[in-house]
Amino acid sequence: MNLKRVAVLLSAGRHPVSGESRHCRNDSLALTLGLNLAHELAVLHAGETDNPALQDYLALGANQINVVPNTGNIIESLATHLSDTDLILTGTRAENGEDSGLLPYLLAARLNLPLVADVL
């Protein structure tokens, strides 16, 4: 498979007992898949630059995490950064915040890209 631009979208989860910020299991799986698929991988997080969960993803192999500021329309913000991406990997659903699970679908529709759900 010849994928030139692969991106992984990461969210911050919450530990179920302590409530502390941490990586999301499914986003971690998406990151692992991306690291195995792509020579150069763009890793993005929409939200706060100082979120402690981002350190977890660096420990799991991400070289760098680009933080996209949430300016109110996260789909448009992400679409701007991902417009020339061949493959976008996400988890199935964020573990906190606005975790409706619709972001991958809305982003795929906005970028006019196919979506394959529940691969992980």
Side-chain angles (χ1 to χ4, degrees), residues 81-101:
H81 286 82
L82 298 168
S83 61
D84 61 345
T85 303
D86 298 315
L87 177 65
I88 302 167
L89 302 169
T90 70
T92 53
R93 180 178 183 157
E95 290 181 359
N96 82 53
E98 297 180 26
D99 57 353
S100 68

Side-chain angles (χ1 to χ4, degrees), residues 46-99:
E48 308 298 325
T49 58
D50 61 349
N51 192 306
L54 300 182
Q55 297 299 317
D56 292 346
Y57 291 115
L58 292 171
L60 292 170
N63 291 332
Q64 176 181 345
I65 300 172
N66 299 310
V67 178
V68 178
N70 189 349
T71 58
N73 188 340
I74 197 59
I75 299 301
E76 286 303 316
S77 296
L78 288 170
T80 300
H81 286 82
L82 298 168
S83 61
D84 61 345
T85 303
D86 298 315
L87 177 65
I88 302 167
L89 302 169
T90 70
T92 53
R93 180 178 183 157
E95 290 181 359
N96 82 53
E98 297 180 26
D99 57 353

Side-chain angles (χ1 to χ4, degrees), residues 19 26 31 35 46 74 79 89 92 97 107:
N26 288 338
L31 175 62
L35 289 167
I74 197 59
L89 302 169
T92 53
L107 187 58

Side-chain angles (χ1 to χ4, degrees), residues 6-18:
V6 176
V8 176
L9 303 183
L10 303 176
S11 61
R14 293 253 176 241
H15 188 277
V17 177
S18 69

